[in-house]
Amino acid sequence: MTIKNTKTRQNAGEGVGFDRIRRITGYLVGTVDRFNNAKRAEEKDRVKHEV
Amino acid sequence: MEHIVQEPDRRMIQKRSGTLVPFDPMKILNAIHQASTAVGDDMTPEDYTYLTQKVCAAIAGTEVPTVEQIQDKVEEMLIRYGFATTAKAYILYRAEHTKMRESESYLMDVYHRLTYSDSESENIKRENANIDGDTAMGTMLKYGSEGSKFFIVNHVLPKEIAAAHANGDIHIHDMDFYMLTETCCQIDLIKLFKDGFSTGHGYVREPQSIQTYAALACIAIQANQNEMHGGQSLPNFDYAMAGGVIKTYNKEYFRALKAYAQAALGYEWEQAEALEKVIRAGIADPLRLEREEDFYKKLSGLNLPGIEPGQIRRMHDFSVKQARRYTKKQTRQAMQALIHNLNTMHSRAGAQVPFSSINYGTDTSPEGRLVTSMLLASTMDGLGGGETPIFPVQIFKVKEGINYDPGDPNYDLFSQAISTSAKRLFPNFSFIDAPFNLQYYKEGDPNTEVAYMGCRTRVLGNRYDPSRECTFGRGNLSFTSINLPRLGIEAHQDLEAFYRSLDDTMDLVIRQLLHRFKIQSAKKVRNYPFLMAQGIWIDSEKLDMEDTIGEVLKHGTLSVGFIGLAETLKALTGYHHGESEEAQALGLEIISHMRKKLDAESEKTGLNFTLLATPAEGLSGRFVRLDKARYGEIEGITDREYYTNSFHIPVYYPIRSFRKIQLEAPYHALTNAGHISYVELDGDTCQNLPAFEKIIRYMKEQGIGYGSINHPVDRDPVCGYTGIIGDVCPRCGRREGESVPIEKLNELRKKFPDVPRYDCTR
């Protein structure tokens, strides 16, 4: 059960998202939030390659 | 000409802004006069007066005429009274001014958006993912950048080039820096550190320990970054840092030796100091890791009064043991600090960390190997909170006989690089054995090893000076990309038409690159207090502060890039190169054609024109947006929000990794300005290192120049878990945005020490 009482700091993480690190054009970006619209769309479309 | 209006007209006229100003017929006369002079029309002063009077008469009945109305009348009168040439000039002049006014309001509109919107809603603030467009300096950077671009387009570029950029035939990268600097440089720290250097803001002595080496490596990257608009790279990181390890090792050795002398031999501190001096004076070569016996031999040959041979042996062994331990520890800390610094110093225009790359993996000396190993270990550890480091871009140089096969001296480091990359996405892998890299390679000369920087750029060949086919001190001067899919669409499956327009567009880009090069060439050494005045750029050490840099810049590359080969092939053949052999054959033909043309241009000019598989971050959406507006949504071509990167197989197309590598490898050989190929793997790659290595090896065997493997790296900042996270964090069980009881986190910390600590009382 989650105790919803953030004032006394018995919980941590309210409103905090996950970081999703992706390679953009050779370099890494700590979060997809900073991608421009085109790169966001591209990232979403990426399919995995089987070995 | 005062007589033109006898009765002073006290009317007001309305300007475009809406404000009222007194009517002044002289302004009409001057405008006609200027237009006629501009085209050399045969008008007399009487003509000017006559026409002005006609215009005044024509608007006489209007209470408050507007500027537009008056200008309409001027046009009308010029045409009516037979001054066609002047009329044409006048119309053009009006159109030009309208354009300028509109574009000025365009710039103000951009400034409004930058000021009043946040980056979540404004794409313009996310053009470059490593700038936080919501911060003060991030926004200031954008003001400068947008203002500069406006200036360049409207006041610097030749009209045809400005038009080609604006309408999306081509894209001039980093145009905001058009008047200022070059793209990137491979910095040789060994040369820089020797005898110390100045950053332009202070003099630094030659570093004396691995920590200082690593700290100054960051300073050098930072200083150069503020003088160039692209990435900064260290091509020989392990070789360069090895010197620092040697210095630290010797320091630590003598520190231990002095401690030994005091504790075991009963020396006073001063005597111990004197002993160090005697030894240092007697042995010229420094103590080296794994060659301690060489040093011992010389040590035991010295005349050290009052110490028996047995004592010398014990003293030496003790000191070596201590020094090794501390050297390793300090190297580890130095590498940790380097990674932290390069991820945290927002020193590029205050809004960005420097765009840093480091290449390593081929130095087989024990000191160089220690550097590589400790760097990889620190990368594996992550940043302070366990986060995956975003910078520097790390590139492991793969070379047969050095690190590729079991039994090679650095094979253990290759393995370590693979396990690190499987967890942290870095290092990427570059392949010296790819024929187009190997042709320049000279064993034992790191300057001939290929090094990549930033997104993918490389230099090696040198048409300007074939005796200097090397990496250090060189880089790209500027690059401009061609909208290949548009040429494909416009060709309507007519290949001849396609090649014709491709040649025309390339010619235009070459003219543009030369236009920019001329501006760059006129700059002086003093414009680059670090890059040029400290001799970072090749041959710049031969120049004086007031010299222009044009000649030394010729070692750099002028690159033509491209985007969307896949969409181009789709337009020309109906298939992209992942789908059909014919499309692949045509793809190679097109890219070979581009390369040949640039080689010919290099021959003609003696400059390094090279072909780039453009990284295209901001560009990936720009061309397709323009083309969608122009041609509508065409299936497989303009129906997505992005054009496919350079020669890549489209990201949405299902294909096996080996096949993708096979198809993309031949393009690496053609794109001599730079390239990269990716494979996307699913699942936790750490659990399948053999597969990871198999793919990297296949890249090497197929002749890929530079490649890496993408896999999901997610992290929950609340509990510190790094790995794959679907909707629920596998460690703490929360969903995005949910909170976790601190008690539970404390419990988890017993099992996972990397769980962050929370202060309950705050």
Side-chain angles (χ1 to χ4, degrees):
Chain A
M1 198 188 87
T2 316
I3 310 155
K4 295 226 173 194
N5 189 349
T6 48
K7 264 192 181 163
T8 53
R9 298 273 305 174
Q10 291 172 349
N11 291 309
E14 179 91 31
V16 179
F18 299 140
D19 295 342
R20 300 193 188 272
I21 295 178
R22 300 294 181 264
R23 201 183 310 269
I24 184 162
T25 55
Y27 69 95
L28 301 182
V29 176
T31 155
V32 186
D33 300 347
R34 295 244 194 104
F35 277 36
N36 65 45
N37 295 344
K39 279 286 164 189
R40 283 184 190 184
E42 193 220 86
E43 204 276 332
K44 227 174 78 198
D45 282 357
R46 287 180 189 174
V47 295
K48 304 292 175 187
H49 304 123
E50 279 180 48
V51 180
Chain B
M1 283 180 242
E2 292 299 323
H3 62 280
I4 55 166
V5 182
Q6 285 86 4
E7 293 282 310
D9 192 330
R10 303 209 182 282
R11 272 188 305 168
M12 303 296 273
I13 65 159
Q14 190 178 22
K15 291 179 71 177
R16 282 182 193 83
S17 58
T19 54
L20 299 178
V21 294
F23 176 56
D24 178 5
M26 276 309 285
K27 288 196 171 159
I28 298 175
L29 188 137
N30 285 338
I32 299 171
H33 173 67
Q34 275 170 15
S36 113
T37 320
V39 289
D41 204 353
D42 232 2
M43 285 178 82
T44 62
E46 287 71 30
D47 292 335
Y48 302 146
T49 314
Y50 182 72
L51 282 173
T52 305
Q53 281 170 345
K54 287 288 166 197
V55 173
C56 290
I59 55 162
T62 317
E63 187 90 2
V64 184
T66 64
V67 170
E68 290 292 326
Q69 284 170 333
I70 297 171
Q71 289 186 337
D72 286 347
K73 289 296 165 196
V74 174
E75 259 181 57
E76 195 184 314
M77 295 306 156
L78 280 169
I79 294 166
R80 184 185 296 174
Y81 292 98
F83 300 105
T85 326
T86 303
K88 206 173 158 194
Y90 185 75
I91 292 165
L92 278 175
Y93 158 87
R94 275 185 81 182
E96 188 81 0
H97 276 253
T98 309
K99 200 184 93 189
M100 263 164 70
R101 266 193 317 278
E102 278 172 0
S103 51
E104 255 166 55
S105 77
Y106 160 81
L107 181 64
M108 287 308 113
D109 176 53
V110 168
Y111 275 28
H112 263 270
R113 279 153 57 205
L114 290 174
T115 311
Y116 297 114
S117 311
D118 61 22
S119 68
E120 188 40 50
S121 51
E122 278 303 338
N123 195 40
I124 190 175
K125 293 182 117 177
R126 280 180 277 117
E127 260 178 13
N128 196 323
N130 65 1
I131 300 175
D132 186 346
D134 285 333
T135 61
M137 291 305 160
T139 306
M140 183 55 94
L141 183 60
K142 286 302 275 182
Y143 283 152
S145 166
E146 294 298 326
S148 170
K149 279 189 219 167
F150 178 82
F151 173 70
I152 303 299
V153 167
N154 290 289
H155 300 280
V156 174
L157 290 179
K159 293 257 174 304
E160 54 156 3
I161 290 170
H165 175 87
N167 73 25
D169 289 341
I170 65 171
H171 183 86
I172 302 168
H173 294 268
D174 303 296
M175 193 168 64
D176 39 349
F177 284 93
Y178 206 91
M179 304 302 290
L180 304 175
T181 184
E182 294 74 46
T183 311
C184 51
C185 185
Q186 294 279 5
I187 305 169
D188 175 15
L189 290 181
I190 296 176
K191 179 178 163 197
L192 178 70
F193 285 175
K194 188 157 180 0
D195 302 326
F197 64 90
S198 160
T199 59
H201 302 277
Y203 184 78
V204 183
R205 280 193 301 272
E206 184 173 331
Q208 297 300 329
S209 71
I210 183 59
Q211 279 106 330
T212 325
Y213 266 63
L216 291 187
C218 298
I219 299 291
I221 286 173
Q222 167 179 284
N224 221 44
Q225 180 67 87
N226 279 321
E227 295 184 11
M228 303 189 91
H229 59 253
Q232 299 306 317
S233 175
L234 306 178
N236 52 344
F237 184 74
D238 41 0
Y239 295 99
M241 290 298 112
V245 174
I246 294 173
K247 286 176 181 168
T248 289
Y249 190 39
N250 281 268
K251 259 190 194 173
E252 290 303 328
Y253 176 84
F254 282 107
R255 191 200 301 273
L257 184 131
K258 283 182 288 188
Y260 185 93
Q262 290 171 85
L265 306 178
Y267 275 40
E268 291 299 322
W269 171 250
E270 291 74 18
Q271 290 174 292
E273 285 270 278
L275 178 64
E276 175 179 355
K277 274 204 188 99
V278 170
I279 298 174
R280 280 197 190 260
I283 305 176
D285 296 329
L287 172 74
R288 297 288 304 269
L289 277 168
E290 291 171 29
R291 263 181 276 159
E292 291 86 356
E293 280 312 289
D294 296 353
F295 193 85
Y296 175 72
K297 268 184 211 133
K298 290 174 193 159
L299 182 70
S300 53
L302 289 179
N303 182 24
L304 300 176
I307 316 179
E308 330 155 2
Q311 283 286 19
I312 293 180
R313 177 85 250 177
R314 280 194 292 281
M315 180 173 73
H316 173 77
D317 289 349
F318 170 81
S319 306
V320 163
K321 209 167 126 196
Q322 289 289 99
R324 275 190 175 187
R325 190 174 294 141
Y326 283 114
T327 302
K328 200 171 162 182
K329 202 168 161 185
Q330 288 178 43
T331 305
R332 175 69 174 256
Q333 284 168 353
M335 294 306 116
Q336 247 170 20
L338 176 116
I339 293 174
H340 277 76
N341 284 339
L342 291 178
N343 280 283
T344 51
M345 42 192 215
H346 275 72
S347 52
R348 189 185 181 202
Q352 229 179 339
V353 294
F355 202 119
S356 56
S357 305
I358 56 178
N359 295 261
Y360 55 83
T362 47
D363 185 354
T364 52
S365 76
E367 293 87 2
R369 285 171 42 74
L370 181 67
V371 166
T372 300
S373 174
M374 290 300 147
L375 178 72
L376 288 167
S378 302
T379 305
M380 193 68 152
D381 285 349
L383 298 179
E387 312 98 299
T388 293
I390 305 295
F391 283 107
V393 174
Q394 298 188 32
I395 302 134
F396 189 90
K397 298 193 256 191
V398 179
K399 175 78 192 82
E400 258 178 43
I402 291 180
N403 53 32
Y404 187 59
D405 290 307
D408 288 349
N410 283 0
Y411 180 71
D412 55 338
L413 296 176
F414 180 47
S415 299
Q416 197 186 347
I418 284 167
S419 53
T420 307
S421 190
K423 165 112 174 156
R424 297 295 189 180
L425 292 160
F426 282 148
N428 300 339
F429 295 86
S430 68
F431 302 96
I432 295 174
D433 294 307
F436 52 89
N437 288 330
L438 193 63
Q439 73 180 97
Y440 302 104
Y441 177 75
K442 294 189 191 94
E443 205 183 317
D445 182 2
N447 198 6
T448 62
E449 294 175 2
V450 72
Y452 287 81
M453 63 187 121
C455 308
R456 58 190 70 186
T457 322
R458 85 189 251 291
V459 287
L460 260 180
N462 193 347
R463 176 59 192 78
Y464 164 65
D465 182 355
S467 71
R468 312 285 285 285
E469 294 182 315
C470 60
T471 291
F472 298 173
R474 301 178 62 205
N476 174 255
L477 303 179
S478 79
F479 63 104
T480 295
S481 295
I482 291 178
N483 185 348
L484 219 46
R486 177 178 291 179
L487 300 180
I489 297 167
E490 294 268 3
H492 299 288
Q493 313 212 319
D494 174 353
L495 270 185
E496 262 181 52
F498 173 79
Y499 279 115
R500 256 197 319 276
S501 57
L502 177 58
D503 283 345
D504 288 347
T505 312
M506 286 186 78
D507 285 333
L508 177 84
V509 172
I510 289 166
R511 282 199 298 282
Q512 179 272 314
L513 291 171
L514 288 171
H515 175 259
R516 191 172 187 166
F517 179 61
K518 203 172 155 194
I519 294 165
Q520 293 168 324
S521 295
K523 296 279 173 188
K524 295 182 170 174
V525 171
R526 66 174 155 77
N527 296 123
Y528 309 90
F530 193 67
L531 174 69
M532 295 293 171
Q534 293 301 312
I536 305 279
W537 188 269
I538 187 168
D539 283 353
S540 62
E541 66 273 18
K542 296 174 186 161
L543 302 178
D544 291 327
M545 283 307 254
E546 291 304 317
D547 287 341
T548 51
I549 57 172
E551 206 52 35
V552 298
L553 281 186
K554 288 180 181 172
H555 287 289
T557 59
L558 297 165
S559 305
V560 178
F562 64 93
I563 184 172
L565 178 66
E567 287 79 6
T568 310
L569 293 169
K570 203 91 180 166
L572 290 171
T573 71
Y575 300 97
H576 64 67
H577 49 321
E579 295 171 317
S580 114
E581 293 286 344
E582 289 73 36
Q584 167 76 348
L586 179 61
L588 287 171
E589 191 189 295
I590 292 169
I591 303 305
S592 303
H593 178 91
M594 294 178 80
R595 170 63 186 277
K596 267 190 212 125
K597 191 168 165 63
L598 292 173
D599 283 352
E601 196 61 34
S602 301
E603 281 308 310
K604 201 171 95 190
T605 55
L607 298 170
N608 293 305
F609 280 94
T610 54
L611 182 61
L612 177 70
T614 300
E617 186 181 344
L619 182 58
S620 63
R622 179 173 175 252
F623 278 164
V624 74
R625 218 162 36 238
L626 292 166
D627 288 351
K628 208 181 282 186
R630 208 184 253 212
Y631 311 107
E633 203 162 281
I634 312 171
E635 199 202 325
I637 303 171
T638 61
D639 57 349
R640 288 186 161 77
E641 277 189 71
Y642 54 90
Y643 276 148
T644 296
N645 198 304
S646 62
F647 53 70
H648 290 181
I649 302 293
V651 295
Y652 58 81
Y653 184 71
I655 187 169
R656 298 184 79 91
S657 56
F658 282 23
R659 182 76 185 136
K660 185 173 194 286
I661 292 167
Q662 263 172 27
L663 289 171
E664 292 184 2
Y667 296 100
H668 283 237
L670 297 169
T671 44
N672 53 343
H675 39 242
I676 190 167
S677 279
Y678 306 127
V679 165
E680 304 274 337
L681 288 189
D682 206 0
D684 187 353
T685 42
C686 295
Q687 302 305 316
N688 196 357
L689 295 178
F692 198 102
E693 177 164 353
K694 220 167 114 188
I695 293 172
I696 299 297
R697 297 183 80 84
Y698 194 72
M699 285 182 176
K700 186 258 175 199
E701 295 306 328
Q702 289 292 311
I704 291 265
Y706 184 31
S708 66
I709 295 179
N710 291 337
H711 50 89
V713 175
D714 302 331
R715 180 171 169 275
D716 182 354
V718 173
C719 71
Y721 174 79
T722 297
I724 301 164
I725 307 178
D727 292 334
V728 176
C729 173
R731 182 184 282 180
C732 69
R734 76 179 189 108
R735 287 168 187 276
E736 227 165 344
E738 283 178 359
S739 63
V740 189
I742 286 176
E743 214 172 301
K744 182 173 179 181
L745 292 170
N746 290 339
E747 205 49 44
L748 281 170
R749 195 173 305 108
K750 291 176 187 159
K751 208 166 146 199
F752 308 104
D754 61 346
V755 174
R757 290 182 180 281
Y758 293 88
D759 180 1
C760 292
T761 59
R762 204 164 44 194

